[in-house]
Amino acid sequence: MDQLAEQEQLGLARTPPIISQRRGVRYCLGDHQVVGFCSNDYLGLANHSLLSKPLMAPSGATASRLVCGDLPEHRSIELRLASLAGAEDAVLFPSGFQLNVSVLAALIQPPDLVHSDALNHASLIDGLRLSRANVQILPHGQAPQPKSMAWWITEALFSMDGDYADPAALRAHIAADGCLYLDEAHSFGLFTNDGHATGLAGAHGIKPTALIATLGKSFGCAGAFVAASTTVCKWIRATARSFVFSTGTSPLLAAQLHQAISLVESPEGQLQRERLWANVEQFAAQLGVPNPHSPIFRLLLPSNDAAIDLSARLLHRGWHVQAIRPPTVPHGTSRLRITITAAHEPNQIEAFATDLRTLL
C-alpha cells in the first residue's frame, strides 16, 4: 500500500483504461466517446471482418508443443512466417515479451559479448538479464564496433521514440561476422519488398541472425515469431523455456494468422499502407515535423504530471492519447506517444492536430 501511495505522489500510478464499443479508432473510454491516437494497429486491421470470421480449428493446443501440442496449424503458419521473413524457419510464440525473454536466454550465454541499445524494450532487457552474458549498453542509436561473433541487440523501429536503427550499420555488423538480433515488433508489415509485406530488414536486404516480429500490430491479431536458420530454430524449440514449458499457442490463432498475412499482402493491405503513410505525412505537416518516416510521434513533456494533464485535457476534447511515464521510458522523459494509423480519417487528424497545438 505504501508503494502504491508513493506511485500516486510521483505521478506514476497506472491502471488499464476501460475501453468498450471499439469501432476502429473510435471507442468509449469510460463515459467518453473518443478517437484514439495511441494504438499500435498501424494498418487499421484489428477490427477487420475477415479476421473475426469463424475458423475451423481447435481452440487449444492441450499441452506444450514438445509433449502433444504440436499441431498442423502451428507447423503450417511457421512455414508461412519463415517465407514472409525470407528465412529458413520460424518459431511461433504467444507474445513478443514471452519470445524475447526466453529466446535471448537460449541463444546468448556467458561469456558471449553483447551490445544492447540503451532504449531497447523491457522484454529485450529482461531476456539479456536471464542470459547472464557480458552486456555492454550502447548510447541510443550508436552502432557497436564491428567484431566477429559479437551480438548486437536492437529494435528496428524504436517503440517509444519512433526512430529507426541505421540499416547501413546493421549491414556492416553482419558483414563483419557479427550476430544481429533485430526486433521488428513495430516495423514488420509497414514496408514491402517484391510485393510482399516486410519490415526494415526486408526493405533493405538485411538478413539478421534472428529476426523478431509481432503479429498484434500491423497484422491486427496477436502472437510473435522468431525467424532464423533451421539450426537456430531447432535450438530454440529445444531450449527456449517459454516454448518448452508453456502450452502451445492456440491453433485457432494460428489459423487466423493465415488470414491476416493474406490480408496484409493483398491489394487492400497495400492500400492501407498507402493510407498510413499519407496520414503520417498529413499529421507531420500540421505539426511542422520535417521528413517523417514513422507512424510514432513522441511529444516530450517536463514532468509526469504534465504528461497526465495534457492527456486529460485532450480526453476532454474527445481524443485519447495515453501518458507514457517511467519505467516505460527513462526518468525525465515523460511524454505523449502519438500514433497515426491507416484507420484515421483526414478530418480527424486535422482536428486532433489543431486541438493539440491549441493546448500546447
Side-chain angles (χ1 to χ4, degrees), residues 198-226:
T198 190
L200 183 73
H204 292 272
I206 298 167
K207 297 288 186 181
T209 312
L211 184 146
I212 314 306
T214 56
L215 300 158
K217 299 177 177 68
S218 292
F219 289 79
C221 288
F225 68 94
V226 51

Side-chain angles (χ1 to χ4, degrees), residues 90-284:
V91 185
L92 179 67
F93 285 79
S95 74
F97 204 108
Q98 186 171 337
L99 186 161
N100 279 333
V101 295
S102 64
V103 170
L104 281 167
L107 295 183
I108 300 172
Q109 301 170 1
D112 290 346
L113 174 62
V114 178
H115 301 281
S116 177
D117 192 281
L119 295 187
N120 273 341
H121 189 265
S123 60
L124 298 170
I125 295 170
D126 288 355
L128 288 175
R129 286 171 176 163
L130 290 171
S131 77
R132 304 187 311 277
N134 175 18
V135 179
Q136 298 183 1
I137 305 301
L138 295 169
H140 177 55
Q142 179 176 306
Q145 291 295 319
K147 186 174 182 179
S148 177
M149 300 307 294
W151 282 90
W152 184 8
I153 315 298
T154 183
E155 297 180 46
L157 170 57
F158 285 86
S159 58
M160 288 295 132
D161 290 76
D163 57 341
Y164 293 91
D166 179 9
L170 298 176
R171 194 177 292 108
H173 184 76
I174 296 171
D177 291 328
C179 299
L180 177 63
Y181 188 102
L182 187 65
D183 191 325
E184 294 246 34
H186 288 264
S187 49
F188 201 78
L190 296 185
F191 306 97
T192 57
N193 187 2
D194 291 332
H196 295 289
T198 190
L200 183 73
H204 292 272
I206 298 167
K207 297 288 186 181
T209 312
L211 184 146
I212 314 306
T214 56
L215 300 158
K217 299 177 177 68
S218 292
F219 289 79
C221 288
F225 68 94
V226 51
S229 69
T230 301
T231 301
V232 167
C233 288
K234 185 175 182 180
W235 177 255
I236 289 169
R237 289 187 179 96
T239 62
R241 291 174 69 83
S242 65
F243 183 89
V244 173
F245 296 107
S246 291
T247 297
T249 305
S250 168
L252 192 61
L253 172 62
Q256 185 187 38
L257 288 172
H258 276 292
Q259 296 186 336
I261 293 170
S262 295
L263 181 58
V264 170
E265 294 208 295
S266 71
E268 182 180 356
Q270 180 57 26
L271 179 60
Q272 290 299 94
R273 266 184 294 275
E274 292 170 3
R275 286 176 176 164
L276 167 66
W277 294 117
N279 287 347
V280 168
E281 291 280 354
Q282 179 192 352
F283 183 67

Side-chain angles (χ1 to χ4, degrees), residues 6-157:
E6 182 181 8
Q7 280 192 332
E8 291 277 0
Q9 292 177 343
L10 296 173
L12 295 175
R14 58 184 71 195
T15 57
I18 300 174
I19 306 292
S20 62
Q21 302 176 36
R22 189 190 298 276
R23 300 175 305 282
V25 294
R26 297 180 180 274
Y27 47 87
C28 286
L29 177 53
D31 296 330
H32 294 272
Q33 289 280 346
V34 301
V35 173
F37 276 91
C38 54
S39 87
N40 298 324
D41 184 24
Y42 299 122
L43 298 185
L45 301 179
N47 285 90
H48 198 284
S49 59
L50 181 65
L51 302 186
S52 60
K53 66 185 294 187
L55 295 167
M56 297 302 294
S59 60
T62 78
S64 164
R65 290 178 61 188
L66 293 180
V67 178
C68 64
D70 191 70
L71 302 178
E73 290 84 357
H74 297 124
R75 298 189 290 273
S76 173
I77 193 59
E78 287 178 339
L79 287 173
R80 192 165 183 190
L81 291 169
S83 176
L84 191 65
E88 292 179 353
D89 199 0
V91 185
L92 179 67
F93 285 79
S95 74
F97 204 108
Q98 186 171 337
L99 186 161
N100 279 333
V101 295
S102 64
V103 170
L104 281 167
L107 295 183
I108 300 172
Q109 301 170 1
D112 290 346
L113 174 62
V114 178
H115 301 281
S116 177
D117 192 281
L119 295 187
N120 273 341
H121 189 265
S123 60
L124 298 170
I125 295 170
D126 288 355
L128 288 175
R129 286 171 176 163
L130 290 171
S131 77
R132 304 187 311 277
N134 175 18
V135 179
Q136 298 183 1
I137 305 301
L138 295 169
H140 177 55
Q142 179 176 306
Q145 291 295 319
K147 186 174 182 179
S148 177
M149 300 307 294
W151 282 90
W152 184 8
I153 315 298
T154 183
E155 297 180 46
L157 170 57

